Amino acid sequence: MARRTNAERTAETKAALIAAARRLFARQGYAETSTEQILQAANVTRGALYHHYAEKADLFADVCSQMHGEASAAIVAAADAAKEPLAALERGCEAWMDYMARPDARRILVIEAPSVLGWARWNEMDAQGFAHLTDGVREAMAAGRLRAMPAEELAVLLNGAMNFGVTWAGHGGDAARLQRVKAAVKRLFKALKA
């Protein structure tokens, strides 16, 4: 069996830390998760943790970054499957809501990330997903499928509505809430059609 390189061991350690922290942050929240719990769950030493991260918030940021990448990939895959720009926008929004409505994503990305990371850092991290939304709005307008209006402002409103929608859908124990939010977004797009 071939020996692992230092780079491979380093990457494995970092991946173990991110995976363990993600499970713990999703289950019990950022504030209730101690670095000791993360070390035990990842089966690494404190030195290994501090080799990669100066503080717990930096590890949380990497967890958020990983999850944003997953959400972005889901958005792109759903939008690329559509045949025209408005359908691509709708499918991308639905994929985003499906991802963010997951309990781990809702807790980590929607509820806790703004306060843990601060609004500026969270917003910077969210920029990729927001860029997909803004581009989708612009493409639908350029194709004459949505009424002409300021695209970025519409994207801001849609983003805010969907963020709150998935948060609302996750509370209250009613599984149908998410479907109602997604249906409301579809009705909104129908009302905004050119």
Side-chain angles (χ1 to χ4, degrees):
M1 182 161 73
R3 293 186 69 177
R4 293 177 300 153
T5 66
N6 282 342
E8 288 170 334
R9 283 192 299 276
T10 297
E12 287 171 7
T13 299
K14 190 170 184 178
L17 285 164
I18 292 170
R22 180 174 172 169
R23 284 190 306 273
L24 290 165
F25 293 149
R27 186 171 56 238
Q28 58 197 40
Y30 176 82
E32 297 300 317
T33 299
S34 69
T35 54
E36 191 58 41
Q37 290 172 317
I38 295 168
L39 295 174
Q40 288 176 359
N43 196 28
V44 301
T45 65
R46 186 167 298 280
L49 172 69
Y50 290 120
H51 173 75
H52 295 286
Y53 301 103
E55 57 187 17
K56 184 171 74 166
D58 295 331
L59 175 54
F60 183 82
D62 269 4
V63 169
C64 291
S65 181
Q66 180 185 70
M67 294 178 80
H68 273 290
E70 294 168 3
S72 185
I75 292 166
V76 170
D80 285 351
K83 302 232 186 277
E84 61 89 23
L86 183 56
L89 177 60
E90 289 176 352
R91 287 185 184 176
C93 287
E94 188 168 322
W96 185 91
M97 287 185 283
D98 285 339
Y99 186 89
M100 292 299 175
R102 293 176 11 190
D104 62 335
R106 186 178 64 248
R107 181 170 202 164
I108 292 171
L109 295 177
V110 179
I111 297 170
E112 293 199 344
S115 62
V116 173
L117 301 175
W119 191 86
R121 190 171 181 194
W122 172 73
N123 193 49
E124 181 182 305
M125 196 173 281
D126 194 41
Q128 183 179 23
F130 184 71
H132 292 312
L133 178 59
T134 307
D135 290 346
V137 168
R138 285 192 178 113
E139 289 169 15
M141 285 180 189
R145 300 289 288 137
L146 281 179
R147 289 185 212 167
M149 62 184 76
E152 188 172 17
E153 286 82 347
L154 178 57
V156 166
L157 294 173
L158 289 169
N159 190 49
M162 290 187 298
N163 269 319
F164 187 78
V166 297
T167 302
W168 177 79
H171 293 286
D174 179 1
R177 278 186 170 193
L178 179 61
Q179 297 310 315
R180 294 199 316 262
V181 169
K182 288 165 44 174
V185 171
K186 283 187 176 194
R187 286 193 302 276
L188 180 60
F189 282 127
K190 189 176 275 191
L192 293 172
K193 276 187 179 178

